[in-house]
Coordinates of all heavy atoms in Angstrom, one line a residue:
L1457 N 16.2 -14.3 16.7 CA 15.7 -13.7 18.0 C 14.2 -13.9 18.1 O 13.7 -14.1 19.2 CB 16.0 -12.2 18.0 CG 17.5 -11.8 18.2 CD1 17.8 -10.3 18.0 CD2 18.0 -12.2 19.6
D1458 N 13.5 -13.8 17.0 CA 12.1 -14.1 17.1 C 11.9 -15.6 17.5 O 11.0 -15.9 18.3 CB 11.5 -13.9 15.7 CG 10.0 -13.8 15.6 OD1 9.4 -14.0 16.7 OD2 9.4 -13.7 14.5
A1459 N 12.7 -16.5 16.9 CA 12.5 -17.9 17.2 C 12.7 -18.2 18.7 O 12.1 -19.0 19.3 CB 13.5 -18.7 16.4
C1460 N 13.7 -17.5 19.3 CA 14.0 -17.7 20.7 C 13.3 -16.7 21.6 O 13.5 -16.7 22.9 CB 15.5 -17.5 20.9 SG 16.5 -18.7 20.0
Q1461 N 12.4 -15.9 21.1 CA 11.5 -15.0 21.8 C 12.4 -14.0 22.7 O 12.1 -13.8 23.9 CB 10.5 -15.7 22.7 CG 9.6 -16.6 21.9 CD 8.6 -17.3 22.7 OE1 8.8 -17.7 23.8 NE2 7.4 -17.5 22.2
L1462 N 13.4 -13.5 22.0 CA 14.3 -12.5 22.7 C 14.1 -11.2 22.1 O 13.9 -11.0 20.9 CB 15.8 -13.0 22.6 CG 16.2 -14.3 23.2 CD1 17.6 -14.6 23.0 CD2 15.9 -14.2 24.7
N1463 N 14.2 -10.2 22.9 CA 14.1 -8.8 22.4 C 15.4 -8.2 22.0 O 16.3 -8.1 22.9 CB 13.4 -7.9 23.6 CG 13.1 -6.5 23.1 OD1 13.3 -6.2 21.9 ND2 12.6 -5.7 24.0
A1464 N 15.5 -7.7 20.8 CA 16.8 -7.2 20.3 C 17.1 -5.8 20.9 O 18.2 -5.4 21.0 CB 16.8 -7.1 18.8
K1465 N 16.0 -5.0 21.1 CA 16.1 -3.6 21.5 C 16.9 -2.8 20.4 O 17.5 -1.8 20.7 CB 16.9 -3.5 22.9 CG 16.1 -4.2 24.0 CD 16.9 -4.0 25.3 CE 16.2 -4.7 26.5 NZ 16.9 -4.7 27.7
E1466 N 16.8 -3.3 19.2 CA 17.5 -2.7 18.1 C 16.5 -2.6 16.9 O 15.6 -3.5 16.8 CB 18.7 -3.5 17.7 CG 19.8 -3.5 18.7 CD 20.5 -2.1 18.8 OE1 20.7 -1.4 17.8 OE2 20.8 -1.8 20.0
E1467 N 16.7 -1.7 16.0 CA 15.9 -1.6 14.8 C 16.7 -2.3 13.7 O 17.8 -1.9 13.4 CB 15.6 -0.1 14.4 CG 14.7 0.6 15.4 CD 13.3 0.0 15.3 OE1 12.9 -0.4 14.2 OE2 12.6 0.0 16.4
F1468 N 16.1 -3.3 13.1 CA 16.8 -4.0 12.0 C 16.3 -3.6 10.7 O 15.1 -3.2 10.5 CB 16.5 -5.5 12.1 CG 17.1 -6.2 13.3 CD1 16.3 -7.1 14.1 CD2 18.4 -6.0 13.7 CE1 16.9 -7.7 15.2 CE2 18.9 -6.6 14.8 CZ 18.2 -7.5 15.5
H1469 N 17.2 -3.7 9.7 CA 16.7 -3.6 8.3 C 16.2 -4.9 7.8 O 15.4 -5.0 6.9 CB 17.9 -3.1 7.4 CG 18.3 -1.7 7.6 ND1 19.6 -1.3 7.5 CD2 17.6 -0.6 8.0 CE1 19.7 0.0 7.8 NE2 18.5 0.4 8.1
G1470 N 16.7 -6.0 8.4 CA 16.3 -7.3 8.0 C 14.9 -7.6 8.6 O 14.4 -7.0 9.6
K1471 N 14.2 -8.7 8.1 CA 12.9 -9.1 8.5 C 13.0 -10.4 9.2 O 13.8 -11.3 8.8 CB 11.9 -9.1 7.4 CG 11.9 -7.9 6.5 CD 11.3 -6.7 7.1 CE 11.1 -5.5 6.2 NZ 10.5 -4.3 6.8
S1472 N 12.1 -10.7 10.1 CA 12.0 -12.0 10.7 C 11.3 -13.0 9.7 O 10.3 -12.6 9.1 CB 11.2 -12.0 12.0 OG 10.9 -13.4 12.4
L1473 N 11.9 -14.1 9.5 CA 11.4 -15.1 8.5 C 10.5 -16.1 9.2 O 10.0 -17.1 8.6 CB 12.6 -15.8 7.8 CG 13.5 -14.9 7.0 CD1 14.6 -15.7 6.4 CD2 12.8 -14.0 6.0
M1474 N 10.3 -16.0 10.5 CA 9.6 -17.0 11.3 C 8.2 -17.2 10.7 O 7.8 -18.4 10.5 CB 9.5 -16.6 12.7 CG 10.8 -16.9 13.5 SD 11.3 -18.6 13.5 CE 9.9 -19.4 14.3
P1475 N 7.4 -16.2 10.4 CA 6.1 -16.5 9.8 C 6.1 -17.3 8.5 O 5.2 -18.2 8.3 CB 5.5 -15.1 9.5 CG 6.2 -14.2 10.5 CD 7.6 -14.8 10.5
S1476 N 7.1 -17.1 7.7 CA 7.2 -17.9 6.4 C 7.8 -19.2 6.6 O 7.8 -20.0 5.6 CB 8.0 -17.0 5.4 OG 9.3 -16.8 5.8
L1477 N 8.3 -19.6 7.8 CA 8.8 -20.9 8.0 C 7.7 -22.0 8.2 O 7.9 -23.2 8.1 CB 9.8 -20.9 9.2 CG 11.1 -20.2 9.0 CD1 11.9 -20.2 10.2 CD2 11.9 -21.0 7.9
S1478 N 6.5 -21.4 8.5 CA 5.4 -22.3 8.7 C 4.3 -22.1 7.6 O 3.4 -22.9 7.5 CB 4.8 -22.2 10.1 OG 4.4 -20.9 10.4
D1479 N 4.4 -20.9 6.9 CA 3.4 -20.5 5.9 C 4.1 -20.0 4.7 O 4.6 -18.9 4.7 CB 2.5 -19.4 6.5 CG 1.4 -19.0 5.5 OD1 1.3 -19.6 4.4 OD2 0.7 -18.0 5.8
T1480 N 4.2 -20.8 3.7 CA 5.0 -20.5 2.5 C 4.3 -19.3 1.7 O 4.9 -18.7 0.8 CB 5.2 -21.7 1.5 OG1 3.9 -22.2 1.2 CG2 6.0 -22.7 2.2
N1481 N 3.0 -19.0 2.0 CA 2.3 -18.0 1.4 C 2.5 -16.6 2.0 O 2.1 -15.6 1.5 CB 0.8 -18.3 1.3 CG 0.5 -19.5 0.5 OD1 1.0 -19.6 -0.6 ND2 -0.4 -20.3 1.0
H1482 N 3.2 -16.6 3.2 CA 3.5 -15.4 3.9 C 4.5 -14.5 3.1 O 5.5 -15.1 2.6 CB 4.0 -15.6 5.3 CG 4.4 -14.4 6.0 ND1 5.7 -13.9 6.0 CD2 3.7 -13.5 6.8 CE1 5.7 -12.8 6.7 NE2 4.5 -12.6 7.2
V1483 N 4.2 -13.3 2.8 CA 5.0 -12.4 2.1 C 6.0 -11.6 3.0 O 5.5 -10.9 3.9 CB 4.2 -11.4 1.2 CG1 5.1 -10.5 0.4 CG2 3.3 -12.2 0.2
V1484 N 7.3 -11.8 2.8 CA 8.2 -11.1 3.7 C 8.4 -9.7 3.3 O 8.4 -8.8 4.1 CB 9.6 -11.9 3.6 CG1 10.7 -11.1 4.4 CG2 9.5 -13.3 4.2
R1485 N 8.5 -9.4 2.0 CA 8.7 -8.1 1.5 C 8.3 -8.1 0.0 O 8.3 -9.1 -0.7 CB 10.1 -7.6 1.6 CG 11.2 -8.5 1.1 CD 12.6 -7.9 1.0 NE 13.1 -7.6 2.3 CZ 13.7 -8.4 3.1 NH1 13.9 -9.7 2.8 NH2 14.3 -8.1 4.3
D1486 N 7.9 -6.9 -0.5 CA 7.6 -6.7 -1.9 C 8.8 -6.5 -2.8 O 8.8 -6.9 -4.0 CB 6.6 -5.5 -2.1 CG 5.3 -5.8 -1.4 OD1 4.8 -6.9 -1.4 OD2 4.7 -4.8 -0.9
G1487 N 9.8 -6.0 -2.2 CA 11.1 -5.7 -3.0 C 12.3 -5.8 -2.1 O 12.2 -5.5 -0.9
L1488 N 13.4 -6.1 -2.6 CA 14.6 -6.3 -1.9 C 15.8 -5.5 -2.5 O 16.1 -5.6 -3.6 CB 15.1 -7.8 -1.8 CG 16.4 -8.1 -1.2 CD1 16.5 -7.7 0.3 CD2 16.8 -9.5 -1.5
M1489 N 16.4 -4.6 -1.7 CA 17.6 -3.9 -2.1 C 18.8 -4.6 -1.6 O 18.9 -5.1 -0.5 CB 17.6 -2.5 -1.5 CG 18.8 -1.7 -1.8 SD 18.9 0.0 -1.1 CE 19.2 -0.3 0.6
T1490 N 19.8 -4.7 -2.5 CA 21.2 -5.2 -2.1 C 22.2 -4.1 -2.5 O 21.9 -3.2 -3.3 CB 21.5 -6.5 -2.7 OG1 21.4 -6.4 -4.1 CG2 20.5 -7.6 -2.2
Q1491 N 23.4 -4.2 -2.0 CA 24.4 -3.1 -2.1 C 25.7 -3.6 -2.7 O 26.0 -4.8 -2.5 CB 24.6 -2.4 -0.8 CG 23.3 -1.8 -0.2 CD 23.6 -1.1 1.1 OE1 24.5 -1.4 1.9 NE2 22.8 -0.1 1.4
H1492 N 26.5 -2.7 -3.2 CA 27.9 -3.0 -3.5 C 28.6 -1.7 -3.6 O 28.1 -0.6 -4.0 CB 28.0 -3.7 -4.9 CG 29.2 -4.6 -5.0 ND1 30.4 -4.4 -4.4 CD2 29.3 -5.8 -5.6 CE1 31.2 -5.4 -4.7 NE2 30.6 -6.3 -5.4
Y1493 N 29.9 -1.7 -3.1 CA 30.7 -0.5 -3.2 C 32.0 -0.8 -4.0 O 32.8 0.1 -4.2 CB 31.1 0.0 -1.8 CG 30.0 0.5 -1.0 CD1 29.1 -0.3 -0.3 CD2 29.8 1.9 -0.9 CE1 28.1 0.1 0.4 CE2 28.7 2.4 -0.1 CZ 27.8 1.5 0.5 OH 26.8 2.0 1.2
G1494 N 32.0 -2.0 -4.6 CA 33.2 -2.4 -5.4 C 34.1 -3.2 -4.6 O 34.1 -3.2 -3.4
L1495 N 35.0 -3.9 -5.3 CA 36.1 -4.6 -4.7 C 37.4 -4.2 -5.4 O 37.5 -4.4 -6.6 CB 35.9 -6.1 -4.9 CG 37.0 -7.0 -4.3 CD1 37.0 -6.9 -2.8 CD2 36.8 -8.5 -4.6
H1496 N 38.3 -3.6 -4.7 CA 39.6 -3.1 -5.3 C 39.3 -1.8 -6.1 O 40.0 -0.8 -5.9 CB 40.3 -4.1 -6.1 CG 40.6 -5.4 -5.3 ND1 41.3 -5.4 -4.1 CD2 40.3 -6.7 -5.6 CE1 41.4 -6.7 -3.7 NE2 40.8 -7.5 -4.6
K1497 N 38.3 -1.9 -7.0 CA 37.9 -0.7 -7.7 C 36.6 -0.1 -7.2 O 35.7 -0.9 -7.0 CB 37.8 -1.0 -9.2 CG 37.4 0.2 -10.0 CD 37.3 -0.1 -11.5 CE 36.9 1.1 -12.3 NZ 36.8 0.8 -13.8
H1498 N 36.6 1.2 -6.9 CA 35.4 1.8 -6.2 C 34.3 2.0 -7.2 O 34.4 2.9 -8.1 CB 35.9 3.1 -5.6 CG 34.9 3.7 -4.6 ND1 34.0 2.9 -3.9 CD2 34.6 5.0 -4.2 CE1 33.2 3.7 -3.1 NE2 33.6 4.9 -3.3
V1499 N 33.3 1.2 -7.2 CA 32.1 1.4 -8.0 C 30.9 1.2 -7.1 O 30.6 0.1 -6.7 CB 32.1 0.4 -9.2 CG1 30.8 0.7 -10.1 CG2 33.3 0.5 -10.0
I1500 N 30.2 2.3 -6.8 CA 29.0 2.2 -6.0 C 27.8 1.7 -6.8 O 27.6 2.2 -7.9 CB 28.6 3.6 -5.4 CG1 29.8 4.1 -4.5 CG2 27.4 3.4 -4.5 CD1 29.6 5.5 -4.0
Q1501 N 27.1 0.6 -6.3 CA 26.0 0.0 -7.0 C 24.9 -0.3 -6.0 O 25.2 -0.6 -4.9 CB 26.4 -1.3 -7.8 CG 27.6 -1.1 -8.8 CD 28.2 -2.4 -9.1 OE1 27.7 -3.1 -10.0 NE2 29.3 -2.8 -8.5
R1502 N 23.7 -0.3 -6.6 CA 22.6 -0.8 -5.8 C 21.7 -1.7 -6.8 O 21.6 -1.4 -8.0 CB 21.6 0.3 -5.3 CG 22.3 1.2 -4.3 CD 22.6 0.5 -3.0 NE 23.2 1.4 -2.0 CZ 24.5 1.6 -1.8 NH1 25.3 0.9 -2.6 NH2 24.9 2.4 -0.9
A1503 N 21.2 -2.8 -6.2 CA 20.3 -3.7 -7.0 C 19.0 -3.7 -6.2 O 18.9 -3.6 -5.0 CB 20.9 -5.1 -7.1
Y1504 N 17.9 -3.9 -7.0 CA 16.6 -4.0 -6.5 C 15.9 -5.1 -7.2 O 15.8 -5.2 -8.4 CB 15.8 -2.7 -6.7 CG 14.5 -2.7 -6.0 CD1 14.4 -2.5 -4.6 CD2 13.3 -2.8 -6.7 CE1 13.2 -2.5 -4.0 CE2 12.1 -2.7 -6.1 CZ 12.0 -2.6 -4.7 OH 10.8 -2.6 -4.0

């Protein structure tokens, strides 16, 4: 959406990567959370 200059009118948890596509020194985030609730067996997990 950033690349196409369109307004989402939504709040994202994700970040635009456009600045880092031209500047590899640009920092997108200091830490990243990922999630899991299990597959077939219910085990809630979080990774950071």
Side-chain angles (χ1 to χ4, degrees):
L1457 287 170
D1458 192 3
C1460 296
Q1461 299 181 327
L1462 296 178
N1463 185 2
K1465 299 179 182 176
E1466 294 290 321
E1467 292 294 326
F1468 292 135
H1469 293 145
K1471 310 287 187 182
S1472 173
L1473 304 181
M1474 283 303 296
S1476 58
L1477 289 173
S1478 56
D1479 178 7
T1480 56
N1481 293 318
H1482 177 265
V1483 178
V1484 175
R1485 52 170 63 84
D1486 294 325
L1488 170 66
M1489 176 180 76
T1490 57
Q1491 302 182 329
H1492 212 324
Y1493 292 81
L1495 180 67
H1496 305 303
K1497 180 177 181 178
H1498 193 29
V1499 182
I1500 300 174
Q1501 301 165 84
R1502 295 293 183 268
Y1504 187 73

